[in-house]
Amino acid sequence: MLELKNAADENATIWSAFEQFQTYKAELVTLFAYNALLVVSDGVEARIGTLTAGREWFKPWRTIEGQNLAPTSMPELQVMIEGVFDKRRLLNLVRDFIVFEDEGKGPLAKKMAGYHQFPRGQGRCGRDPQGGRSTDCPRGFERGGRYEAGARPGGEPGDRRIGVVWHTQGSGKSLTMAFYAGRVIREPAMANPTIVVLTDRNDLDEQLFGTFSRCQDLLRQPRYRPRVGRTYG
């Protein structure tokens, strides 16, 4: 759902559009029963969030294809429309990159991948599931996606290398890994894989365990429900 304000009105801002959504949510509850995402814009600036997201979680979408940031000369609304509402990307976003988390601290939270999480959670093409090189992407994976820190030479067919995701503090790394695991687990070519996540800190272990436990619906196949547990050596 989009709430667009008049760009010619100097009193119209993205945050007046955000407040308009709060009014709609209070007065037209059934309108949001099947809502996936919310976009607010004043015709130039634009932010995207979910039904339960506060103002601080409405964020810009800064990329179109997912590989490079859009030029700063492009209006944010244009980047949002082209980057999010491409039919293929929108369907992927709604299907694989929205989760519901109950942290026991209040209402159920609906969370959606940000622009930096979306391409990284889709996986990388160019190698087949057995580790060899391939010119075809597994079904459901987006060709040309990249999440490594720049191209690097080297690598032999069958070496099973795939790349590196560089996370910064506060970037939502636990959810990014949950999104990625969900795509891998539900890919038929991967034949119901086992995913092992290694951490070097107890607090990160607790964080990942909690996130994966709350996102089990995302990690579920029709005839498979993953077990989320810990193994200590």
Side-chain angles (χ1 to χ4, degrees), residues 155-167:
E156 299 296 332
D159 65 8
R160 298 176 182 269
R161 288 193 282 178
I162 186 170
V164 173
V165 180
W166 186 270
H167 297 288

Side-chain angles (χ1 to χ4, degrees), residues 7 16 32 41 54 58 69 76 130 162 170-171 177 186-187 204 208 212 218 227:
S16 61
F32 295 89
S41 177
F58 270 70
L69 295 181
E76 291 181 359
Q130 285 71 44
I162 186 170
S171 64
M177 293 296 96
R186 286 177 282 120
E187 173 56 48
L204 185 55
L208 283 166
F212 274 66
L218 180 71
R227 292 184 302 171

Side-chain angles (χ1 to χ4, degrees), residues 73-145:
S73 58
M74 289 183 65
E76 291 181 359
L77 181 58
Q78 180 182 351
V79 178
M80 183 80 69
I81 291 174
E82 295 184 18
V84 174
F85 293 97
D86 167 82
K87 180 179 179 181
R88 178 169 54 96
R89 282 193 290 271
L90 179 60
L91 290 176
N92 282 342
L93 183 66
V94 172
R95 181 187 61 204
D96 297 321
F97 293 90
I98 293 177
V99 295
F100 294 87
E101 287 198 86
D102 183 359
E103 299 178 350
K105 302 176 182 178
L108 191 67
K110 186 173 187 176
K111 299 183 179 181
M112 182 187 69
Y115 77 91
H116 62 293
Q117 296 170 308
F118 183 55
R120 287 151 181 80
Q122 295 202 59
R124 182 185 176 190
C125 304
R127 296 179 186 271
D128 65 31
Q130 285 71 44
R133 296 187 185 278
S134 172
T135 57
D136 296 321
C137 297
R139 181 164 55 87
F141 281 65
E142 188 170 21
R143 177 178 298 281

